[in-house]
């Protein structure tokens, strides 16, 4: 017999979303405090429900048993959360299975909650909302989620999906269908990609006619590829060249049992090749140049959907405000440095930063958080700050953006390690180097921690480097800043950067 759920005021702060996916079952628990969402629990189990579908779309008993066993563990955790704060949904496999009702009937008894089998379009909508709430979309965004039995493609702007589609192709079903016994060869990859093209081609025109500012991958295969890039010290987005290289490594291994790609976890290995085949076709058919990892997906969409009062808040600003409060950053100084950095940044020609980084947002965040390590120690505060930011969640920022913010905070003072930028792709490295110069200058200019001190400062950037222009005689009247800028000029010179001050 299930225990009665808690109904204390504290328990009302907790919400849970359960996603019965085709590859994995997920449970996410969050606590809502002062309008901010804090994840307090995540459970993921590889159930591979889709692997139990036979050619007649009947779920076998073994796959259902795996699912029910997983839900028994979920049920205990859900007992501590008010029923009104819980949402449970099922996706592609239980949409397709002809005996889905048999599984759902017992699953609802185990959980003590109703299960909603959502349509492919509703799943796509919720995925997009989960991405929008956590990844701070910039204009038109293309969102892709490769699940176990379906792939969702959504084009939207801000919190509104404009085009969405759900296709019956997924990493579990394609693995079972095209890679029998785990065999990895060119013929199997070709067959999987041909099937993906056949499904994608009729709907591709809905998406290729739009210009999007960013492409975001939600969980699954994109996450696995990003983990590989990180493990191999490649700070970059997902690009076609990486997909080609990974497919070749799969083919050379010959079989899943022999697949050994550095950074690919054992948990992701069974469906990696099939997901990779689908992702390659998506890049090819939709003209994707690069893809970043989204901060959320279906579960986040479900959770935010239950939180009406949090809708449409600026996720990035929430993140920055929460970190400023949590780490006791002096808010006035953070604002002062941010405003100074942006004043300099906005004098740059737009073509100086031609990459999908959202450079202004990255610079703003680094400026706001540059003193996050100060409460630990002054001398090495920049290093402490970099460490802290590399080990916390930053909703509203992609993984690449968070890595760039870490790099900037770690390099905003004292000597610059030029190797900090070498791990990034060339366009990102060039943009990040320029942002670092600007942040360092802004930090120096605000050293007195005082408002209304600075005059109008002009900045120019060319092949030689940065040039700062002050009103005639101003620096002589401010010897502290004159000396600090001279020191900064020397530090940048040691790194090979030219800073001219007039």
């Amino acid at each position: 017999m299930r225990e009665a759920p808690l109904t204390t005021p504290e328990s009302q702060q907790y919400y849970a979303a359960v996603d019965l996916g085709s590859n994995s079952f997920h449970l996410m628990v969050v606590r809502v405090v002062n309008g901010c969402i804090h994840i307090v629990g995540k459970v993921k189990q590889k159930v591979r429900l889709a692997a139990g579908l036979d050619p007649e779309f009947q779920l076998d008993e073994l796959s259902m048993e795996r699912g029910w066993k997983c839900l028994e563990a979920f049920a205990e955790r859900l007992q501590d959360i008010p029923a009104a704060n819980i949402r449970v949904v099922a996706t592609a496999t239980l949409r397709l299975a002809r005996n889905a009702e048999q599984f759902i009937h017992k699953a609802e008894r185990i959980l003590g909650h109703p299960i909603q089998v959502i349509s492919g379009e509703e799943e796509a909508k919720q995925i997009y909302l989960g991405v929008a709430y956590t990844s701070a979309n910039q204009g038109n965004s293309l969102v892709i989620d490769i699940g176990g039995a379906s792939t969702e493609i959504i084009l939207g702007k801000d919190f509104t999906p404009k085009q969405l589609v759900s296709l019956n192709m997924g990493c579990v079903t394609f693995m079972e269908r095209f890679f029998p016994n785990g065999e990895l060869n060119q013929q199997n990859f070709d067959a999987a990609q041909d099937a993906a093209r056949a499904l994608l081609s009729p709907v591709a025109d809905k998406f290729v006619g739009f210009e999007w500012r960013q492409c975001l991958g939600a969980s699954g295969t994109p996450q696995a590829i990003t983990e590989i890039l990180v493990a191999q010290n490649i700070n970059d987005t997902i690009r076609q060249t990486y997909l080609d290289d990974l497919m070749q490594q799969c083919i050379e291994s010959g079989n899943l049992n022999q697949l050994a790609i550095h950074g690919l976890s054992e948990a992701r290995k069974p469906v990696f090749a099939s997901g990779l085949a689908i992702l390659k076709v998506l890049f090819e058919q939709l003209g994707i140049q690069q893809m970043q990892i989204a901060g959320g997906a279906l579960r986040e969409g479900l959770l935010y959907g239950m939180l009406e009062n949090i809708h449409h808040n600026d996720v990035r600003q929430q993140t920055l405000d929460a970190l400023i409060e949590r780490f006791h950053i002096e808010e006035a100084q953070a604002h002062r440095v941010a405003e100074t950095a942006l004043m300099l940044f906005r004098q740059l020609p737009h073509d100086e930063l031609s990459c999908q980084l959202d450079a202004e947002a990255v610079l703003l965040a680094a400026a706001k958080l540059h003193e996050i390590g100060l409460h630990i120690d002054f001398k090495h505060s920049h290093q402490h700050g970099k460490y802290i930011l590399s080990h916390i969640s930053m909703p509203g920022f992609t993984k690449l953006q968070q890595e760039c913010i870490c790099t900037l905070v770690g390099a905003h003072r004292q000597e610059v390690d030029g190797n900090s930028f070498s791990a990034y792709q060339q366009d990102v490295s060039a943009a990040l180097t320029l942002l670092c110069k600007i942040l360092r200058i802004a930090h120096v200019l605000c050293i007195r921690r005082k408002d209304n001190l600075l005059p109008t400062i002009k900045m120019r950037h060319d092949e030689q480097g940065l040039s700062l222009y002050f009103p005639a005689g101003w620096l002589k009247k401010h010897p502290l800043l004159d000396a600090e800028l001279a020191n900064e000029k020397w530090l940048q010179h040691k790194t090979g950067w030219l800073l001219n001050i007039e």
Side-chain angles (χ1 to χ4, degrees):
M1 182 176 177
R2 297 181 74 249
E3 299 173 14
L6 296 175
T7 56
T8 64
E10 290 77 15
S11 72
Q12 297 294 329
Q13 298 175 335
Y14 291 91
Y15 290 78
V18 180
D19 162 21
L20 309 185
S22 301
N23 187 37
S24 304
F25 284 7
H26 298 259
L27 164 66
M28 179 183 287
V29 180
V30 301
R31 180 173 178 242
V32 181
V33 182
N34 297 325
C36 292
I37 290 181
H38 303 281
I39 298 172
V40 297
K42 276 187 176 182
V43 184
K44 173 184 176 182
Q45 288 196 21
K46 293 282 185 184
V47 175
R48 299 192 69 220
L49 199 63
L53 280 175
D54 67 18
E56 281 72 45
F57 294 99
Q58 295 285 332
L59 273 175
D60 63 29
E61 191 70 24
L62 186 59
S63 64
M64 290 195 287
E65 286 290 348
R66 289 198 301 268
W68 291 328
K69 184 71 173 175
C70 169
L71 295 182
E72 288 175 1
F74 286 10
E76 183 175 2
R77 183 67 182 88
L78 293 177
Q79 289 178 16
D80 304 327
I81 299 168
N85 294 2
I86 296 170
R87 189 170 180 200
V88 186
V89 301
T91 56
T93 295
L94 292 171
R95 287 197 295 268
L96 295 170
R98 293 178 178 172
N99 58 339
E101 196 56 44
Q102 178 186 349
F103 176 83
I104 291 169
H105 181 69
K106 183 172 179 178
E108 288 182 333
R109 286 207 327 266
I110 293 170
L111 288 175
H113 292 276
I115 297 171
Q116 180 186 9
V117 181
I118 57 176
S119 68
E121 290 72 20
E122 177 64 17
E123 182 178 0
K125 178 183 175 183
Q126 294 297 329
I127 288 168
Y128 180 80
L129 291 177
V131 170
Y133 284 124
T134 58
S135 301
N137 292 354
Q138 315 157 30
N140 286 340
S141 296
L142 182 69
V143 174
I144 289 171
D145 189 312
I146 302 172
S150 68
T151 293
E152 282 66 45
I153 308 167
I154 314 99
L155 180 75
K157 183 177 182 180
D158 299 326
F159 293 90
T160 305
K162 296 180 178 179
Q163 297 282 355
L164 50 83
V165 69
S166 179
L167 303 176
N168 289 330
M169 58 182 185
C171 58
V172 175
T173 52
F174 266 42
M175 178 55 70
E176 298 287 327
R177 182 178 170 191
F178 297 108
F179 300 89
N181 302 314
E183 294 177 10
L184 304 177
N185 55 50
Q186 188 66 59
Q187 292 76 15
N188 290 350
F189 270 102
D190 288 345
Q193 291 179 96
D194 286 344
R197 287 189 194 100
L199 290 167
L200 181 58
S201 294
V203 300
D205 287 345
K206 291 184 178 182
F207 303 96
V208 295
F210 290 86
E211 290 187 6
W212 57 81
R213 289 192 60 188
Q214 61 178 353
C215 176
L216 296 167
S219 65
T221 302
Q223 181 65 46
I225 294 171
T226 299
E227 290 170 2
I228 291 169
L229 296 178
V230 170
Q232 297 181 9
N233 295 317
I234 302 172
N235 292 346
D236 196 11
T237 55
I238 300 170
R239 301 175 190 255
Q240 182 75 51
T241 52
Y242 299 138
L243 304 185
D244 294 340
D245 180 62
L246 288 169
M247 190 179 84
Q248 190 58 40
Q249 290 183 57
C250 289
I251 291 170
E252 289 173 359
S253 72
N255 192 280
L256 272 177
N257 295 329
Q258 304 301 318
L259 186 59
I261 298 174
H262 179 55
L264 178 62
S265 68
E266 287 297 320
R268 296 190 186 275
K269 188 184 293 186
V271 293
F272 180 70
S274 50
L276 179 62
I278 293 170
L279 188 59
K280 274 178 58 64
V281 171
L282 289 165
F283 264 67
E284 164 200 307
Q285 297 283 301
L286 300 181
I288 300 169
Q289 300 299 315
Q290 52 184 298
M291 172 185 284
Q292 300 186 61
I293 289 297
L298 176 58
R299 290 167 297 286
E300 288 77 8
L302 297 173
L303 284 165
Y304 278 94
M306 288 188 281
L307 302 171
E308 298 289 339
N309 59 321
I310 297 181
H311 280 194
H312 299 218
N313 283 353
D314 186 329
V315 180
R316 285 178 175 169
Q317 191 58 53
Q318 275 192 348
T319 294
L320 298 178
D321 290 345
L323 290 174
I324 287 170
E325 180 179 0
R326 176 180 171 188
F327 290 96
H328 311 293
I329 298 170
E330 184 182 341
E331 189 169 1
Q333 179 67 359
H335 178 76
R336 203 175 285 123
V337 173
E339 287 297 305
T340 305
L342 291 180
M343 175 271 293
L344 297 173
F345 173 85
R346 288 167 182 165
Q347 297 185 47
L348 292 172
H350 290 300
D351 59 1
E352 295 275 345
L353 298 160
S354 55
C355 66
Q356 293 188 13
L357 184 60
D358 195 358
E360 183 169 332
V362 168
L363 177 62
L364 175 65
K368 290 266 190 174
L369 303 176
H370 75 285
E371 291 190 334
I372 195 169
L374 194 58
H375 70 293
I376 298 176
D377 167 69
F378 171 73
K379 184 176 181 180
H380 302 291
S381 62
H382 54 302
Q383 296 171 0
H384 296 312
K386 181 179 180 179
Y387 178 85
I388 291 168
L389 290 171
S390 66
H391 288 82
I392 60 175
S393 173
M394 292 185 66
F397 297 92
T398 65
K399 184 171 183 59
L400 178 62
Q401 288 168 341
Q402 185 167 351
E403 289 171 351
C404 290
I405 294 165
C406 290
T407 298
L408 289 177
V409 169
H412 84 270
R413 61 188 290 267
Q414 296 190 5
E415 292 195 9
V416 185
D417 179 4
N419 294 326
S420 300
F421 309 98
S422 60
Y424 293 94
Q425 195 72 13
Q426 185 175 357
D427 57 346
V428 176
S429 177
L432 204 54
T433 300
L434 188 51
L435 295 183
C436 183
K437 296 176 184 179
I438 291 173
L439 179 60
R440 290 178 64 91
I441 293 167
H443 168 69
V444 171
L445 290 174
C446 297
I447 196 168
R448 286 183 59 186
R449 311 176 87 87
K450 183 178 179 181
D451 290 329
N452 305 316
L453 175 67
L454 298 176
T456 300
I457 303 170
K458 300 295 183 182
M459 186 183 76
R460 183 166 57 86
H461 180 244
D462 54 31
E463 302 119 11
Q464 302 303 315
L466 283 178
S467 296
L468 294 178
Y469 301 94
F470 290 82
W474 190 89
L475 283 175
K476 285 187 177 180
K477 295 177 182 177
H478 297 82
L480 172 64
L481 280 176
D482 194 17
E484 290 293 335
L485 284 169
N487 183 60
E488 177 59 25
K489 180 178 179 178
W490 168 244
L491 290 173
Q492 294 203 21
H493 171 74
K494 289 174 68 176
T495 309
W497 301 344
L498 179 64
L499 174 61
N500 182 46
I501 301 170
E502 296 182 14

